[in-house]
Amino acid sequence: MGTEWPGDERRKAKTDVLTVSNASDKPEASLQILNNPEPVKPTAPEPTRAAPLAAGTPLVTGTLSSAITGSDALETPLPAEEGWQRTIRTWTGGLISPKPGPQELARRTTLASIRRVYPRPVTVTVAQPAGGSGKTSISVALASTIGNTSDHAVLAMDNNETMGTLGVRTRSNGSKLTIIDLLDALEELKNEHTRSGDVQYFTRPQGDNRFAVLASDEDPDRMQMLTRETLNELLEVVQRFWNVIVLDTGNNTRAENWLAGIERSDQLVFPVEMNDKSVVSVLRTIEQLQAMSQLSGNDHYAALCRHAVLVISPGSHRRSVAPERRKELRTMLEQALGEEATFLPVPYEPALDTNGLIDWQLATDESVRAFEKVAATVSEGMHHAAVRAESTKRNKKEN
């Protein structure tokens, strides 16, 4: 019997590979028989690479998701928290949940205005040269309203070149430090390593009222150190840690620190009672600021007047003015300020009409709602002013 089995020749033919070398590479061609050659690996195709995107080209256009994100469904009001709507929702355990009423929706819009984000720290000046006009009371009410209804860090600062009353009308919480003590430590606090607590040490926190006070010194001679230059330096430091500054001013509109505060202000607030003394004082301030713009060519001062917020207080119930005279005085103010100014009345508030401490937690609901509208208008004005200033700054850099 032979040693060759059927099929051997076919298997042998499959395992023998005849390789012919390239004649152009070698002078002589040769034939090689390889028994068990290396398997040939398939070559993967080159991946198709996307063309590079131009700078600034968005990776996501948002056209698919905008059908949801741009819909009113995301703006569905939260359940009612006020009025009979809340009562019904509470009694039924949420089975019946009426929509919030128009007053509650309006208040939510007001609070949203107070909570708006600013492009930089902002400053509001409460100015009224007439003594006893309620500057400190309005400053405290405004600072507390913004602090209580937003996440803003609020500092009420006594910008009085003599001896202001902000430190007297608010809680000291054991601190006797003043704006002059902060001024004495200013050079060290300008350091880039300064921490929030290093500066807060000189202020007086107001607890549940959610703002801090930087009080004036009890020595009028020391307060004379508050000049245009020093106030600007103080603001540069405190605005690193507080993004809303409320300046409670003195009575001298020619003082350096008063003028410096006006220069740094984004919004001007005039507390006013509709009587001759209070209105004349405001009119004189308006005349001064308008003249400053004319003489300097800087529209900032006149713009503060055009966009001013007048907080109309009834004052003490012991004083009264005939309705006809009140109307005449208001007309004078409207003509002096123009159509863009805002007049906001606030009710008589016993918590403010006191020579002692002011605790905004004791204010009536009517006053709280009224000052929410004041704070919303002030916040809107500060936001617009800051946006305009930042836009002007960018344009100057580009040019």
Side-chain angles (χ1 to χ4, degrees), residues 141-159:
L142 182 59
S144 186
T145 300
I146 297 176
N148 270 300
T149 57
S150 73
D151 291 328
H152 292 306
V154 184
L155 177 69
M157 184 172 167
D158 217 338
N159 187 26

Side-chain angles (χ1 to χ4, degrees), residues 162-184:
T162 54
M163 188 173 62
T165 58
L166 187 59
V168 179
R169 305 292 302 280
T170 55
R171 298 187 182 280
S172 66
N173 288 315
S175 175
K176 294 184 179 180
L177 298 178
T178 69
I179 194 170
I180 301 302
D181 294 307
L182 176 57
L183 185 60
D184 291 340

Side-chain angles (χ1 to χ4, degrees), residues 205-225:
Q206 296 303 300
D208 290 341
N209 288 308
R210 300 282 307 277
F211 73 100
V213 168
L214 185 55
S216 64
D217 201 89
E218 295 180 0
D219 185 350
D221 291 335
R222 294 190 74 199
M223 284 302 295
Q224 295 293 337
M225 296 169 59

Side-chain angles (χ1 to χ4, degrees), residues 348-368:
Y348 170 75
E349 176 50 60
L352 297 179
D353 190 18
T354 172
N355 292 324
L357 293 176
I358 301 174
D359 187 348
W360 193 240
Q361 299 296 312
L362 303 177
T364 62
D365 288 343
E366 184 183 8
S367 291
V368 169

Side-chain angles (χ1 to χ4, degrees), residues 322-342:
E324 296 79 7
R325 183 55 178 167
R326 292 174 63 89
K327 186 176 180 179
E328 292 175 358
L329 293 172
R330 173 161 180 154
T331 300
M332 293 179 188
L333 289 171
E334 291 174 346
Q335 292 175 346
L337 292 169
E339 297 180 354
E340 295 182 79
T342 306

Side-chain angles (χ1 to χ4, degrees), residues 102-307:
Q103 290 184 345
E104 183 174 357
L105 291 176
R107 186 180 180 225
R108 290 182 182 182
T109 301
T110 297
L111 296 180
S113 293
I114 302 173
R115 294 164 182 157
R116 69 173 66 238
V117 179
Y118 308 108
R120 58 164 173 75
V122 291
T123 302
V124 52
T125 290
V126 181
Q128 167 59 285
S133 57
K135 291 190 297 293
T136 299
S137 299
I138 299 298
S139 297
V140 170
L142 182 59
S144 186
T145 300
I146 297 176
N148 270 300
T149 57
S150 73
D151 291 328
H152 292 306
V154 184
L155 177 69
M157 184 172 167
D158 217 338
N159 187 26
N160 195 323
E161 73 286 352
T162 54
M163 188 173 62
T165 58
L166 187 59
V168 179
R169 305 292 302 280
T170 55
R171 298 187 182 280
S172 66
N173 288 315
S175 175
K176 294 184 179 180
L177 298 178
T178 69
I179 194 170
I180 301 302
D181 294 307
L182 176 57
L183 185 60
D184 291 340
L186 200 58
E187 286 303 318
E188 182 179 351
L189 294 174
K190 290 179 181 179
N191 191 302
E192 61 179 358
H193 300 296
T194 296
R195 299 158 298 184
S196 174
D198 297 330
V199 183
Q200 289 181 353
Y201 173 67
F202 296 92
T203 66
R204 305 175 185 184
Q206 296 303 300
D208 290 341
N209 288 308
R210 300 282 307 277
F211 73 100
V213 168
L214 185 55
S216 64
D217 201 89
E218 295 180 0
D219 185 350
D221 291 335
R222 294 190 74 199
M223 284 302 295
Q224 295 293 337
M225 296 169 59
L226 206 58
T227 64
R228 182 190 299 261
E229 181 181 0
T230 55
L231 181 69
N232 282 321
E233 291 178 342
L234 284 167
L235 286 175
E236 288 294 331
V237 171
V238 298
Q239 285 185 331
R240 291 163 59 183
F241 307 103
W242 288 273
N243 57 326
V244 177
I245 309 296
V246 180
L247 293 179
D248 180 16
T249 60
N251 301 333
N252 184 2
T253 61
R254 303 300 178 98
E256 286 190 30
N257 60 303
W258 193 95
L259 294 171
I262 287 292
E263 290 172 0
R264 297 290 294 266
S265 290
D266 300 291
Q267 180 64 52
L268 184 59
V269 172
F270 286 119
V272 61
E273 299 177 22
M274 284 304 168
N275 58 53
D276 288 25
K277 173 187 174 182
S278 182
V279 172
V280 166
S281 179
V282 171
L283 290 174
R284 287 176 176 171
T285 306
I286 295 170
E287 290 173 341
Q288 174 183 331
L289 294 175
Q290 291 174 341
M292 287 169 61
S293 279
Q294 292 175 355
L295 294 173
S296 66
N298 185 353
D299 187 58
H300 172 70
Y301 312 106
L304 285 175
C305 293
R306 289 196 302 271
H307 301 101

